[in-house]
């Protein structure tokens, strides 16, 4: 099993965001701003859903990787570190998913 983590990917996104947009897709997305990065995240999410619906496991794996990468780019642009998202996930796991969802509706 791979030792590669989302934290590793976050570090790569951070480093590549500082490169020239002519040399790095990450830097190009960051330079284009949140609307472009968020749009790309949405496109990748749709492609992931389509792969799931069609039970295309290989493409689902590929598209899921794209979603995670583009999500980290969007978070980078917004100045939200992955640790904040992980802390929110940890907070939510302190209760059942149904109870947590119900608490957001009130």
């Amino acid at each position: 099993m791979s030792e590669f983590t989302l934290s590793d990917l976050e570090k790569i996104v951070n480093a590549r965001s500082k490169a020239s947009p002519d040399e790095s897709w990450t830097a190009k997305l960051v330079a284009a701003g949140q609307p472009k990065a968020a749009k790309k995240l949405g496109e990748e999410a749709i492609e992931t859903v389509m792969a799931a619906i069609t039970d295309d496991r290989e493409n689902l794996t590929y598209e899921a990787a794209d979603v995670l990468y583009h999500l980290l780019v969007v978070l980078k642009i917004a100045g939200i570190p992955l640790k904040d998202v992980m802390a929110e996930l940890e907070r939510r796991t302190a209760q059942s998913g149904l109870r947590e969802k119900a608490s957001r509706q009130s």
Side-chain angles (χ1 to χ4, degrees):
M1 184 155 137
S2 174
E3 298 295 322
F4 189 76
T5 67
L6 286 177
S7 293
D8 294 332
L9 181 57
E10 180 183 43
K11 289 174 189 166
I12 291 167
V13 166
N14 287 336
R16 291 183 181 171
S17 71
K18 297 171 186 156
S20 165
D22 295 332
E23 298 174 5
S24 165
W25 172 246
T26 302
K28 184 175 266 189
L29 277 174
V30 170
Q34 196 64 288
K36 172 71 173 175
K39 180 180 176 191
K40 190 64 181 163
L41 173 60
E43 291 169 3
E44 298 300 343
I46 290 167
E47 291 170 1
T48 302
V49 169
M50 296 308 297
I53 289 170
T54 60
D55 201 26
D56 182 347
R57 293 176 53 85
E58 183 178 338
N59 202 35
L60 179 55
T61 300
Y62 181 87
E63 297 300 342
D66 281 350
V67 166
L68 292 173
Y69 162 76
H70 286 92
L71 175 59
L72 288 177
V73 172
V74 165
L75 291 172
K76 166 71 178 161
I77 294 169
I80 299 171
L82 179 62
K83 69 180 177 66
D84 289 1
V85 176
M86 299 309 289
E88 176 60 17
L89 286 170
E90 182 177 27
R91 183 193 68 77
R92 290 181 185 189
T93 60
Q95 57 185 321
S96 79
L98 294 175
R99 184 174 295 143
E100 192 279 329
K101 186 171 180 157
S103 74
R104 287 187 278 150
Q105 294 175 352
S106 43

